[in-house]
């Protein structure tokens, strides 16, 4: 346990005022006005992607969607700390991360519409597809990071997961392996306070970042609604990983303002007062206030952000509605990389079933 009280790293207050943090301000000293505007734009686009996809699900065009509303700073701040050759292992909520890594909006919903096994080409953007098995990506990130280290590649991997995943055995095993073998992986926990209907206090009575200390891994809490602070601590962890320093654990304290997925009703387990409290800490509003304070906000920039967001939303919606239904027999493609007897048997049986259904 820390010898004294520690507080989440914060470089920007909710009203947009800067916070001087001697240890972390230098990590973002190169971030100029254009960079701040880019962060704001990407956060706004991430929210628009989320809004559009949620609307598509409500209209029956997607089977499911996991909203990221309220977590834009955690996602955009962290992904901007990565190098192009670093590899991202996501959970199922990182649409904002995917957008910044270069995934076209047209590819974000294919899996969620139920017409494909995946959304995008993982190797093309160095980011895996949504991982539905909670916590499994921690092991994948650790194994990939260690393999890259053995090959002499000076890269980092980052594993995104939520507070609920910290109670999964996969994350515990990943932390143990990463610590023992010095794997260059960044464990990035988006603590959004709710694992579906279970509050974070049921995961741990102490900060989740403290769990990393038991494995000998440095852990840090950061204000997850502060994009600058998230960028700083993630840069620090990435530098450590890429330079041979081993793994790090980041707990980004944020809040899921929407449902866990579009199949969830959060009003059944949390209060309106709690939601209102976190709405006042909205990460996008915070970044806008910083821009206004520093003379970086004007109507021309606002119109530019709106235009970019509208274009992304239009592309996402149009592509989603145009996605063709797959042929039934395509279900058996891309299951294994080589022929498999069981799959071939199932293919024949399903073909017979379809033939019988048509006759």
């Amino acid at each position: 346990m820390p010898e004294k009280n520690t507080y989440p790293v914060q470089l920007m207050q909710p009203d947009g005022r800067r916070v001087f943090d001697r240890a972390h301000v230098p990590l973002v000293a190169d971030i100029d006005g254009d960079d701040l505007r880019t962060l704001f734009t990407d956060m706004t686009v991430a929210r628009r992607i989320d809004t559009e996809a949620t609307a598509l699900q409500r209209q029956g065009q997607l089977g499911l969607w996991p909203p990221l509303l309220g977590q834009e700073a955690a996602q955009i701040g962290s992904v901007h700390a990565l190098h192009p050759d670093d590899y991202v292992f996501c959970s199922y909520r990182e649409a904002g991360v995917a957008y910044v890594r270069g995934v076209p909006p047209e590819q974000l919903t294919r899996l969620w519409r139920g017409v494909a096994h995946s959304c995008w080409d993982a190797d093309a953007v160095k980011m895996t597809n949504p991982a539905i098995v909670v916590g499994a990506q921690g092991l994948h990130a650790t194994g990939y990071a260690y393999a890259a280290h053995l090959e002499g590649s000076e890269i980092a991997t980052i594993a995104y997961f939520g507070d609920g995943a910290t109670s999964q055995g996969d994350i515990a095993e990943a932390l143990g392996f990463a610590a023992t073998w010095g794997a260059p992986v960044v464990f990035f926990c988006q603590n959004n306070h709710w694992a579906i209907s279970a509050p974070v206090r049921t995961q741990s009575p102490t900060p989740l970042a403290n769990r990393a200390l038991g494995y000998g891994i440095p852990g840090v809490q950061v204000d997850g609604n502060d994009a600058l602070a998230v960028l700083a601590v993630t840069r620090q962890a990435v530098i450590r990983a890429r330079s041979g320093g081993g793994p790090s654990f980041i707990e980004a304290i944020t809040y899921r303002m929407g449902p866990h997925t579009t199949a969830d009703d959060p009003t059944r387990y949390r209060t309106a007062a709690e939601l209102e409290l976190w709405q006042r800490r909205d990460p996008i509003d915070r970044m806008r206030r910083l821009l206004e304070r520093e003379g970086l906000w004007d109507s021309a920039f606002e119109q530019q952000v709106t235009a970019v967001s509208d274009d992304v939303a239009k592309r996402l919606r149009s592509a989603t509605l145009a996605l063709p239904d797959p042929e039934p027999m395509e279900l058996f493609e891309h299951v294994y990389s080589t022929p498999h007897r069981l799959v071939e048997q199932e293919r024949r049986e399903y073909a017979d079933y379809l033939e019988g259904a048509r006759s």
Side-chain angles (χ1 to χ4, degrees), residues 52-321:
E52 196 68 33
T54 298
L56 284 166
Q57 194 282 328
R58 298 307 190 201
Q59 294 160 11
Q61 300 299 332
L62 297 180
L64 190 72
W65 179 256
L68 61 88
L69 180 64
Q71 299 180 218
E72 295 85 359
Q75 294 195 18
I76 303 305
S78 60
V79 69
H80 273 281
L82 304 178
H83 297 248
D85 56 346
D86 293 333
Y87 216 107
V88 177
F89 291 79
C90 65
S91 66
Y92 41 75
R93 203 181 300 279
E94 283 73 44
V97 175
Y99 170 74
V100 175
R101 289 299 280 185
V103 175
E106 292 85 351
Q107 297 180 10
L108 289 171
T109 58
R110 295 193 298 187
L111 173 67
W112 305 109
R113 190 169 168 85
V115 299
H117 291 306
S118 60
C119 292
W120 57 79
D121 180 350
D123 283 339
V125 294
K126 298 293 189 291
M127 177 174 175
T128 60
N129 273 264
I132 308 302
V133 179
V134 177
Q137 67 275 19
L139 289 169
H140 304 156
T142 301
Y144 190 98
Y146 187 58
H149 167 71
L150 292 177
E151 291 182 347
S153 299
E154 296 179 356
I155 68 165
T157 68
I158 183 169
Y160 287 93
F161 52 91
D163 45 291
T166 62
S167 294
Q168 292 286 349
D170 284 0
I171 294 298
E173 293 166 8
L175 289 169
F177 188 99
T180 300
W181 297 102
V185 57
V186 178
F187 294 97
F188 193 90
C189 174
Q190 292 181 85
N191 177 1
N192 65 19
H193 284 77
W194 290 95
I196 309 183
S197 60
V200 67
R201 64 178 177 272
T202 66
Q203 314 299 333
S204 175
T206 63
L208 297 176
N210 286 355
R211 290 191 172 187
L213 303 180
Y215 293 88
I217 297 175
V220 61
Q221 282 189 314
V222 62
D223 184 338
N225 285 8
D226 177 349
L228 272 181
V230 172
L231 175 60
V233 299
T234 310
R235 275 183 167 180
Q236 189 175 47
V238 169
I239 291 170
R240 172 182 166 86
R242 291 176 66 95
S243 62
S248 302
F249 188 103
I250 298 169
E251 179 188 356
I253 302 174
T254 182
Y255 192 79
R256 169 172 56 79
M257 293 198 287
H260 175 71
T261 70
T262 47
D264 172 42
D265 178 8
T267 63
R268 298 182 62 183
Y269 54 80
R270 70 184 187 195
T271 65
E274 178 181 302
L275 177 60
E276 181 183 356
L277 171 67
W278 283 93
Q279 286 174 332
R280 294 199 296 269
R281 302 173 182 175
D282 187 294
I284 295 180
D285 290 346
R286 184 183 304 199
M287 181 60 77
R288 172 170 176 161
R289 292 179 187 122
L290 174 67
L291 295 176
E292 290 172 340
R293 283 181 175 275
E294 301 192 356
L296 297 169
W297 185 272
D298 55 37
S299 59
F301 174 64
E302 183 175 16
Q303 292 171 9
Q304 176 185 331
V305 174
T306 299
V308 172
S309 300
D310 287 347
D311 177 65
V312 169
K314 180 180 179 180
R315 291 167 58 190
L316 184 147
R317 170 170 284 274
S318 297
T320 300
L321 297 180

